[in-house]
Amino acid sequence: MLAFGFTLSALSMYGLVHLLGSTLFGEMDGTGTKLAAALVMLGCMVIDSGLFGLSTPMWRRQTPRDHFYRFGPVRGALLWGLDTGLVVTTFRVTSLSWAALGVTLLGLVPWWAGLAYALGFTVPSFAMVAIVPPSKDPVEIPEPTWLMDWLMNREKLVKRMALGLLTAAFAGVVASAFLS
């Protein structure tokens, strides 16, 4: 249910952003659109670089844990997926989500780009639940929370990798703007 809710929410968010962009901007010419997208990406790169004391824009909240207790595990997971799939309603480690919404708003990616976003979240979540073995330590909780701890200890590396990915996408968009 988490994956379903997340996917439904992400597709809806990207679809709405795409519709809003096509309504506001109509059909922009290719070069202008690419340069506008490059500007959005450049802004996200500056934010993620840590220069000027900037940090990733986000609503600093998490989906309330009591959803699972109030609505049960199935509906709670659905609500959690719907909330986190909206892209902008919870914590974000990098500005990649904002860059993706920006290029969607400008029409450089299709409305169903939310599916890629959803897969990027749900596949690792599925792996944590279904594939990763639980801890064998009798003192520790048997759930694979050790994997979350392992990932959290690599947050700086993930941020650097995301900045590198954003830089590569930026370079590709700028190059395509001038080579087309």
Side-chain angles (χ1 to χ4, degrees):
M1 286 312 283
L2 167 68
F4 175 74
F6 191 94
T7 303
L8 179 66
S9 183
L11 279 171
S12 298
M13 177 60 110
Y14 277 81
L16 287 172
V17 167
H18 193 274
L19 178 64
L20 178 65
S22 60
T23 302
L24 290 176
F25 305 121
E27 288 297 319
M28 295 174 59
D29 74 315
T31 303
T33 302
K34 290 174 184 176
L35 291 176
L39 192 59
V40 169
M41 288 185 212
L42 181 62
C44 290
M45 288 167 47
V46 169
I47 289 169
D48 282 356
S49 72
L51 298 173
F52 313 113
L54 300 172
S55 62
T56 304
M58 70 180 98
W59 188 2
R60 295 191 176 277
R61 65 173 282 279
Q62 288 183 314
T63 303
R65 289 181 182 256
D66 72 337
H67 283 355
F68 292 98
Y69 306 112
R70 287 176 49 202
F71 303 109
V74 174
R75 281 187 247 143
L78 176 66
L79 290 172
W80 190 69
L82 289 171
D83 187 18
T84 55
L86 286 176
V87 184
V88 297
T89 57
T90 58
F91 284 97
R92 296 289 171 231
V93 176
T94 72
S95 297
L96 280 174
S97 302
W98 291 102
L101 284 176
V103 297
T104 303
L105 181 71
L106 294 168
L108 283 183
V109 296
W111 64 268
W112 49 265
L115 184 60
Y117 176 73
L119 287 173
F121 181 84
T122 57
V123 169
S125 296
F126 175 77
M128 279 184 25
V129 173
I131 298 171
V132 176
S135 173
K136 303 242 186 276
D137 186 350
V139 177
E140 210 177 295
I141 299 172
E143 295 177 16
T145 55
W146 61 269
L147 181 59
M148 287 300 298
D149 293 337
W150 185 85
L151 290 170
M152 292 303 289
N153 290 334
R154 284 149 184 83
E155 182 179 348
K156 286 184 181 183
L157 174 64
V158 169
K159 284 182 175 184
R160 277 185 259 147
M161 289 172 57
L163 183 58
L165 177 65
L166 188 55
T167 303
F170 169 79
V173 169
V174 169
S176 72
F178 291 109
L179 296 176
S180 59

